[in-house]
PDB file of all heavy atoms in Angstrom:
ATOM      1  N   VAL W   1      -2.740  -5.266  -1.698  1.00  0.00           N
ATOM      2  CA  VAL W   1      -1.961  -4.609  -0.640  1.00  0.00           C
ATOM      3  C   VAL W   1      -0.684  -4.026  -1.241  1.00  0.00           C
ATOM      4  O   VAL W   1      -0.318  -2.883  -0.952  1.00  0.00           O
ATOM      5  CB  VAL W   1      -1.632  -5.594   0.505  1.00  0.00           C
ATOM      6  CG1 VAL W   1      -0.664  -4.957   1.498  1.00  0.00           C
ATOM      7  CG2 VAL W   1      -2.896  -6.036   1.209  1.00  0.00           C
ATOM      8  N   ALA W   2      -0.011  -4.787  -2.092  1.00  0.00           N
ATOM      9  CA  ALA W   2       1.225  -4.301  -2.724  1.00  0.00           C
ATOM     10  C   ALA W   2       0.939  -3.102  -3.623  1.00  0.00           C
ATOM     11  O   ALA W   2       1.714  -2.134  -3.645  1.00  0.00           O
ATOM     12  CB  ALA W   2       1.877  -5.429  -3.513  1.00  0.00           C
ATOM     13  N   ARG W   3      -0.166  -3.142  -4.374  1.00  0.00           N
ATOM     14  CA  ARG W   3      -0.530  -1.990  -5.224  1.00  0.00           C
ATOM     15  C   ARG W   3      -0.815  -0.769  -4.361  1.00  0.00           C
ATOM     16  O   ARG W   3      -0.400   0.348  -4.685  1.00  0.00           O
ATOM     17  CB  ARG W   3      -1.749  -2.320  -6.078  1.00  0.00           C
ATOM     18  CG  ARG W   3      -1.438  -3.041  -7.355  1.00  0.00           C
ATOM     19  CD  ARG W   3      -2.624  -3.059  -8.307  1.00  0.00           C
ATOM     20  NE  ARG W   3      -3.844  -3.588  -7.708  1.00  0.00           N
ATOM     21  CZ  ARG W   3      -4.166  -4.874  -7.649  1.00  0.00           C
ATOM     22  NH1 ARG W   3      -3.353  -5.770  -8.155  1.00  0.00           N
ATOM     23  NH2 ARG W   3      -5.299  -5.253  -7.094  1.00  0.00           N
ATOM     24  N   HIS W   4      -1.520  -0.985  -3.273  1.00  0.00           N
ATOM     25  CA  HIS W   4      -1.831   0.118  -2.359  1.00  0.00           C
ATOM     26  C   HIS W   4      -0.531   0.726  -1.828  1.00  0.00           C
ATOM     27  O   HIS W   4      -0.391   1.940  -1.753  1.00  0.00           O
ATOM     28  CB  HIS W   4      -2.710  -0.387  -1.212  1.00  0.00           C
ATOM     29  CG  HIS W   4      -3.203   0.688  -0.320  1.00  0.00           C
ATOM     30  ND1 HIS W   4      -4.263   1.491  -0.637  1.00  0.00           N
ATOM     31  CD2 HIS W   4      -2.759   1.109   0.888  1.00  0.00           C
ATOM     32  CE1 HIS W   4      -4.464   2.354   0.333  1.00  0.00           C
ATOM     33  NE2 HIS W   4      -3.566   2.148   1.274  1.00  0.00           N
ATOM     34  N   ALA W   5       0.410  -0.129  -1.465  1.00  0.00           N
ATOM     35  CA  ALA W   5       1.702   0.342  -0.945  1.00  0.00           C
ATOM     36  C   ALA W   5       2.451   1.157  -1.989  1.00  0.00           C
ATOM     37  O   ALA W   5       3.107   2.148  -1.668  1.00  0.00           O
ATOM     38  CB  ALA W   5       2.548  -0.846  -0.499  1.00  0.00           C
ATOM     39  N   ALA W   6       2.359   0.736  -3.231  1.00  0.00           N
ATOM     40  CA  ALA W   6       3.078   1.436  -4.297  1.00  0.00           C
ATOM     41  C   ALA W   6       2.539   2.849  -4.527  1.00  0.00           C
ATOM     42  O   ALA W   6       3.283   3.738  -4.955  1.00  0.00           O
ATOM     43  CB  ALA W   6       2.992   0.636  -5.590  1.00  0.00           C
ATOM     44  N   TYR W   7       1.262   3.047  -4.237  1.00  0.00           N
ATOM     45  CA  TYR W   7       0.651   4.348  -4.482  1.00  0.00           C
ATOM     46  C   TYR W   7       0.509   5.223  -3.244  1.00  0.00           C
ATOM     47  O   TYR W   7      -0.044   6.322  -3.319  1.00  0.00           O
ATOM     48  CB  TYR W   7      -0.715   4.171  -5.155  1.00  0.00           C
ATOM     49  CG  TYR W   7      -0.596   3.630  -6.553  1.00  0.00           C
ATOM     50  CD1 TYR W   7      -0.972   2.335  -6.852  1.00  0.00           C
ATOM     51  CD2 TYR W   7      -0.062   4.412  -7.569  1.00  0.00           C
ATOM     52  CE1 TYR W   7      -0.842   1.827  -8.128  1.00  0.00           C
ATOM     53  CE2 TYR W   7       0.080   3.915  -8.854  1.00  0.00           C
ATOM     54  CZ  TYR W   7      -0.323   2.618  -9.128  1.00  0.00           C
ATOM     55  OH  TYR W   7      -0.183   2.123 -10.393  1.00  0.00           O
ATOM     56  N   LEU W   8       1.010   4.748  -2.119  1.00  0.00           N
ATOM     57  CA  LEU W   8       0.965   5.582  -0.919  1.00  0.00           C
ATOM     58  C   LEU W   8       1.890   6.787  -1.076  1.00  0.00           C
ATOM     59  O   LEU W   8       2.948   6.679  -1.701  1.00  0.00           O
ATOM     60  CB  LEU W   8       1.411   4.784   0.305  1.00  0.00           C
ATOM     61  CG  LEU W   8       0.407   3.827   0.908  1.00  0.00           C
ATOM     62  CD1 LEU W   8       1.058   3.038   2.036  1.00  0.00           C
ATOM     63  CD2 LEU W   8      -0.808   4.560   1.421  1.00  0.00           C
ATOM     64  N   PRO W   9       1.537   7.911  -0.493  1.00  0.00           N
ATOM     65  CA  PRO W   9       2.423   9.080  -0.558  1.00  0.00           C
ATOM     66  C   PRO W   9       3.768   8.793   0.124  1.00  0.00           C
ATOM     67  O   PRO W   9       3.854   7.976   1.048  1.00  0.00           O
ATOM     68  CB  PRO W   9       1.659  10.159   0.212  1.00  0.00           C
ATOM     69  CG  PRO W   9       0.247   9.694   0.257  1.00  0.00           C
ATOM     70  CD  PRO W   9       0.283   8.206   0.192  1.00  0.00           C
ATOM     71  N   GLU W  10       4.776   9.468  -0.329  1.00  0.00           N
ATOM     72  CA  GLU W  10       6.129   9.298   0.214  1.00  0.00           C
ATOM     73  C   GLU W  10       6.166   9.575   1.715  1.00  0.00           C
ATOM     74  O   GLU W  10       6.917   8.941   2.445  1.00  0.00           O
ATOM     75  CB  GLU W  10       7.097  10.227  -0.522  1.00  0.00           C
ATOM     76  CG  GLU W  10       8.548   9.935  -0.264  1.00  0.00           C
ATOM     77  CD  GLU W  10       8.961   8.570  -0.800  1.00  0.00           C
ATOM     78  OE1 GLU W  10       8.453   8.148  -1.838  1.00  0.00           O
ATOM     79  OE2 GLU W  10       9.812   7.927  -0.150  1.00  0.00           O
ATOM     80  N   GLU W  11       5.344  10.488   2.166  1.00  0.00           N
ATOM     81  CA  GLU W  11       5.287  10.814   3.595  1.00  0.00           C
ATOM     82  C   GLU W  11       4.885   9.592   4.426  1.00  0.00           C
ATOM     83  O   GLU W  11       5.446   9.346   5.496  1.00  0.00           O
ATOM     84  CB  GLU W  11       4.286  11.945   3.845  1.00  0.00           C
ATOM     85  CG  GLU W  11       4.118  12.283   5.300  1.00  0.00           C
ATOM     86  CD  GLU W  11       3.013  13.306   5.536  1.00  0.00           C
ATOM     87  OE1 GLU W  11       2.587  13.977   4.586  1.00  0.00           O
ATOM     88  OE2 GLU W  11       2.582  13.419   6.688  1.00  0.00           O
ATOM     89  N   ILE W  12       3.953   8.805   3.928  1.00  0.00           N
ATOM     90  CA  ILE W  12       3.518   7.595   4.637  1.00  0.00           C
ATOM     91  C   ILE W  12       4.637   6.566   4.635  1.00  0.00           C
ATOM     92  O   ILE W  12       4.901   5.920   5.648  1.00  0.00           O
ATOM     93  CB  ILE W  12       2.232   7.011   4.014  1.00  0.00           C
ATOM     94  CG1 ILE W  12       1.117   8.042   3.998  1.00  0.00           C
ATOM     95  CG2 ILE W  12       1.815   5.731   4.726  1.00  0.00           C
ATOM     96  CD1 ILE W  12       0.676   8.498   5.365  1.00  0.00           C
ATOM     97  N   HIS W  13       5.309   6.424   3.503  1.00  0.00           N
ATOM     98  CA  HIS W  13       6.461   5.501   3.434  1.00  0.00           C
ATOM     99  C   HIS W  13       7.499   5.897   4.482  1.00  0.00           C
ATOM    100  O   HIS W  13       8.053   5.036   5.174  1.00  0.00           O
ATOM    101  CB  HIS W  13       7.094   5.530   2.042  1.00  0.00           C
ATOM    102  CG  HIS W  13       6.355   4.717   1.041  1.00  0.00           C
ATOM    103  ND1 HIS W  13       6.983   3.882   0.162  1.00  0.00           N
ATOM    104  CD2 HIS W  13       5.040   4.587   0.773  1.00  0.00           C
ATOM    105  CE1 HIS W  13       6.097   3.289  -0.602  1.00  0.00           C
ATOM    106  NE2 HIS W  13       4.904   3.708  -0.257  1.00  0.00           N
ATOM    107  N   ASP W  14       7.765   7.186   4.589  1.00  0.00           N
ATOM    108  CA  ASP W  14       8.750   7.668   5.556  1.00  0.00           C
ATOM    109  C   ASP W  14       8.304   7.390   6.990  1.00  0.00           C
ATOM    110  O   ASP W  14       9.098   6.952   7.821  1.00  0.00           O
ATOM    111  CB  ASP W  14       8.995   9.170   5.385  1.00  0.00           C
ATOM    112  CG  ASP W  14       9.709   9.505   4.084  1.00  0.00           C
ATOM    113  OD1 ASP W  14      10.306   8.585   3.466  1.00  0.00           O
ATOM    114  OD2 ASP W  14       9.651  10.673   3.674  1.00  0.00           O
ATOM    115  N   ARG W  15       7.042   7.631   7.281  1.00  0.00           N
ATOM    116  CA  ARG W  15       6.532   7.392   8.635  1.00  0.00           C
ATOM    117  C   ARG W  15       6.583   5.922   9.016  1.00  0.00           C
ATOM    118  O   ARG W  15       6.804   5.574  10.169  1.00  0.00           O
ATOM    119  CB  ARG W  15       5.109   7.899   8.766  1.00  0.00           C
ATOM    120  CG  ARG W  15       5.029   9.388   8.861  1.00  0.00           C
ATOM    121  CD  ARG W  15       3.622   9.815   9.128  1.00  0.00           C
ATOM    122  NE  ARG W  15       3.576  11.255   9.298  1.00  0.00           N
ATOM    123  CZ  ARG W  15       2.507  11.894   9.691  1.00  0.00           C
ATOM    124  NH1 ARG W  15       1.399  11.236   9.954  1.00  0.00           N
ATOM    125  NH2 ARG W  15       2.531  13.197   9.821  1.00  0.00           N
ATOM    126  N   LEU W  16       6.361   5.051   8.033  1.00  0.00           N
ATOM    127  CA  LEU W  16       6.415   3.621   8.294  1.00  0.00           C
ATOM    128  C   LEU W  16       7.844   3.079   8.293  1.00  0.00           C
ATOM    129  O   LEU W  16       8.089   1.977   8.754  1.00  0.00           O
ATOM    130  CB  LEU W  16       5.590   2.850   7.256  1.00  0.00           C
ATOM    131  CG  LEU W  16       4.085   3.054   7.314  1.00  0.00           C
ATOM    132  CD1 LEU W  16       3.424   2.324   6.156  1.00  0.00           C
ATOM    133  CD2 LEU W  16       3.525   2.570   8.643  1.00  0.00           C
ATOM    134  N   GLY W  17       8.767   3.869   7.765  1.00  0.00           N
ATOM    135  CA  GLY W  17      10.149   3.405   7.689  1.00  0.00           C
ATOM    136  C   GLY W  17      10.416   2.534   6.479  1.00  0.00           C
ATOM    137  O   GLY W  17      11.329   1.707   6.482  1.00  0.00           O
ATOM    138  N   LEU W  18       9.633   2.706   5.428  1.00  0.00           N
ATOM    139  CA  LEU W  18       9.802   1.929   4.203  1.00  0.00           C
ATOM    140  C   LEU W  18      10.613   2.718   3.188  1.00  0.00           C
ATOM    141  O   LEU W  18      10.292   3.859   2.897  1.00  0.00           O
ATOM    142  CB  LEU W  18       8.440   1.588   3.598  1.00  0.00           C
ATOM    143  CG  LEU W  18       7.533   0.699   4.426  1.00  0.00           C
ATOM    144  CD1 LEU W  18       6.154   0.631   3.776  1.00  0.00           C
ATOM    145  CD2 LEU W  18       8.121  -0.686   4.558  1.00  0.00           C
ATOM    146  N   ARG W  19      11.639   2.088   2.652  1.00  0.00           N
ATOM    147  CA  ARG W  19      12.412   2.737   1.585  1.00  0.00           C
ATOM    148  C   ARG W  19      11.726   2.570   0.239  1.00  0.00           C
ATOM    149  O   ARG W  19      11.812   3.416  -0.625  1.00  0.00           O
ATOM    150  CB  ARG W  19      13.815   2.152   1.518  1.00  0.00           C
ATOM    151  CG  ARG W  19      14.656   2.543   2.721  1.00  0.00           C
ATOM    152  CD  ARG W  19      15.893   1.743   2.752  1.00  0.00           C
ATOM    153  NE  ARG W  19      15.483   0.434   3.292  1.00  0.00           N
ATOM    154  CZ  ARG W  19      16.257  -0.596   3.408  1.00  0.00           C
ATOM    155  NH1 ARG W  19      17.492  -0.528   3.013  1.00  0.00           N
ATOM    156  NH2 ARG W  19      15.813  -1.717   3.916  1.00  0.00           N
ATOM    157  N   ALA W  20      11.062   1.432   0.076  1.00  0.00           N
ATOM    158  CA  ALA W  20      10.335   1.132  -1.155  1.00  0.00           C
ATOM    159  C   ALA W  20       9.126   0.287  -0.794  1.00  0.00           C
ATOM    160  O   ALA W  20       9.054  -0.284   0.294  1.00  0.00           O
ATOM    161  CB  ALA W  20      11.239   0.379  -2.123  1.00  0.00           C
ATOM    162  N   ALA W  21       8.192   0.191  -1.709  1.00  0.00           N
ATOM    163  CA  ALA W  21       7.002  -0.625  -1.475  1.00  0.00           C
ATOM    164  C   ALA W  21       7.361  -2.098  -1.636  1.00  0.00           C
ATOM    165  O   ALA W  21       7.975  -2.481  -2.630  1.00  0.00           O
ATOM    166  CB  ALA W  21       5.911  -0.237  -2.457  1.00  0.00           C
ATOM    167  N   PRO W  22       6.994  -2.928  -0.677  1.00  0.00           N
ATOM    168  CA  PRO W  22       7.281  -4.361  -0.795  1.00  0.00           C
ATOM    169  C   PRO W  22       6.382  -5.011  -1.841  1.00  0.00           C
ATOM    170  O   PRO W  22       5.282  -4.539  -2.118  1.00  0.00           O
ATOM    171  CB  PRO W  22       6.980  -4.904   0.598  1.00  0.00           C
ATOM    172  CG  PRO W  22       6.015  -3.943   1.178  1.00  0.00           C
ATOM    173  CD  PRO W  22       6.339  -2.608   0.589  1.00  0.00           C
ATOM    174  N   ARG W  23       6.863  -6.104  -2.406  1.00  0.00           N
ATOM    175  CA  ARG W  23       6.081  -6.857  -3.386  1.00  0.00           C
ATOM    176  C   ARG W  23       5.118  -7.791  -2.666  1.00  0.00           C
ATOM    177  O   ARG W  23       5.289  -8.104  -1.492  1.00  0.00           O
ATOM    178  CB  ARG W  23       7.007  -7.659  -4.273  1.00  0.00           C
ATOM    179  CG  ARG W  23       7.877  -6.772  -5.112  1.00  0.00           C
ATOM    180  CD  ARG W  23       8.754  -7.597  -5.981  1.00  0.00           C
ATOM    181  NE  ARG W  23       9.603  -6.722  -6.783  1.00  0.00           N
ATOM    182  CZ  ARG W  23      10.110  -7.067  -7.930  1.00  0.00           C
ATOM    183  NH1 ARG W  23       9.915  -8.278  -8.403  1.00  0.00           N
ATOM    184  NH2 ARG W  23      10.850  -6.218  -8.603  1.00  0.00           N
ATOM    185  N   ALA W  24       4.139  -8.258  -3.402  1.00  0.00           N
ATOM    186  CA  ALA W  24       3.143  -9.172  -2.849  1.00  0.00           C
ATOM    187  C   ALA W  24       3.796 -10.456  -2.344  1.00  0.00           C
ATOM    188  O   ALA W  24       3.386 -10.998  -1.311  1.00  0.00           O
ATOM    189  CB  ALA W  24       2.072  -9.484  -3.892  1.00  0.00           C
ATOM    190  N   THR W  25       4.816 -10.945  -3.035  1.00  0.00           N
ATOM    191  CA  THR W  25       5.482 -12.178  -2.602  1.00  0.00           C
ATOM    192  C   THR W  25       6.174 -11.979  -1.257  1.00  0.00           C
ATOM    193  O   THR W  25       6.154 -12.876  -0.413  1.00  0.00           O
ATOM    194  CB  THR W  25       6.495 -12.663  -3.639  1.00  0.00           C
ATOM    195  OG1 THR W  25       7.406 -11.602  -3.950  1.00  0.00           O
ATOM    196  CG2 THR W  25       5.808 -13.107  -4.916  1.00  0.00           C
ATOM    197  N   THR W  26       6.755 -10.827  -1.053  1.00  0.00           N
ATOM    198  CA  THR W  26       7.394 -10.522   0.233  1.00  0.00           C
ATOM    199  C   THR W  26       6.354 -10.506   1.346  1.00  0.00           C
ATOM    200  O   THR W  26       6.556 -11.112   2.405  1.00  0.00           O
ATOM    201  CB  THR W  26       8.112  -9.160   0.169  1.00  0.00           C
ATOM    202  OG1 THR W  26       9.100  -9.202  -0.859  1.00  0.00           O
ATOM    203  CG2 THR W  26       8.750  -8.799   1.498  1.00  0.00           C
ATOM    204  N   LEU W  27       5.251  -9.848   1.098  1.00  0.00           N
ATOM    205  CA  LEU W  27       4.188  -9.786   2.094  1.00  0.00           C
ATOM    206  C   LEU W  27       3.650 -11.184   2.398  1.00  0.00           C
ATOM    207  O   LEU W  27       3.415 -11.531   3.554  1.00  0.00           O
ATOM    208  CB  LEU W  27       3.060  -8.882   1.603  1.00  0.00           C
ATOM    209  CG  LEU W  27       3.426  -7.413   1.425  1.00  0.00           C
ATOM    210  CD1 LEU W  27       2.318  -6.680   0.687  1.00  0.00           C
ATOM    211  CD2 LEU W  27       3.719  -6.767   2.759  1.00  0.00           C
ATOM    212  N   GLY W  28       3.475 -11.990   1.373  1.00  0.00           N
ATOM    213  CA  GLY W  28       2.970 -13.332   1.556  1.00  0.00           C
ATOM    214  C   GLY W  28       3.899 -14.199   2.401  1.00  0.00           C
ATOM    215  O   GLY W  28       3.450 -14.938   3.284  1.00  0.00           O
ATOM    216  N   ARG W  29       5.205 -14.104   2.133  1.00  0.00           N
ATOM    217  CA  ARG W  29       6.176 -14.876   2.908  1.00  0.00           C
ATOM    218  C   ARG W  29       6.172 -14.465   4.379  1.00  0.00           C
ATOM    219  O   ARG W  29       6.193 -15.303   5.278  1.00  0.00           O
ATOM    220  CB  ARG W  29       7.575 -14.719   2.324  1.00  0.00           C
ATOM    221  CG  ARG W  29       7.821 -15.556   1.096  1.00  0.00           C
ATOM    222  CD  ARG W  29       9.296 -15.612   0.747  1.00  0.00           C
ATOM    223  NE  ARG W  29       9.888 -14.289   0.592  1.00  0.00           N
ATOM    224  CZ  ARG W  29       9.993 -13.641  -0.552  1.00  0.00           C
ATOM    225  NH1 ARG W  29       9.538 -14.173  -1.666  1.00  0.00           N
ATOM    226  NH2 ARG W  29      10.552 -12.454  -0.613  1.00  0.00           N
ATOM    227  N   VAL W  30       6.133 -13.167   4.625  1.00  0.00           N
ATOM    228  CA  VAL W  30       6.148 -12.678   6.015  1.00  0.00           C
ATOM    229  C   VAL W  30       4.877 -13.104   6.746  1.00  0.00           C
ATOM    230  O   VAL W  30       4.948 -13.608   7.872  1.00  0.00           O
ATOM    231  CB  VAL W  30       6.310 -11.137   6.052  1.00  0.00           C
ATOM    232  CG1 VAL W  30       6.065 -10.590   7.445  1.00  0.00           C
ATOM    233  CG2 VAL W  30       7.682 -10.739   5.563  1.00  0.00           C
TER     234      VAL W  30
END
């Protein structure tokens, strides 16, 4: 999931409101 997030186009990051791709540890904690 984290790798997928890192390779998403910037437009998708903007639509989701993400400044950067989260790490796997962040996703796991949430």
Side-chain angles (χ1 to χ4, degrees):
V1 172
R3 276 193 306 274
H4 187 79
Y7 292 108
L8 282 175
E10 193 65 35
E11 177 186 344
I12 303 297
H13 280 225
D14 291 343
R15 285 186 177 188
L16 292 175
L18 296 172
R19 290 169 281 176
R23 295 181 181 205
T25 54
T26 301
L27 295 169
R29 282 193 305 267
V30 169

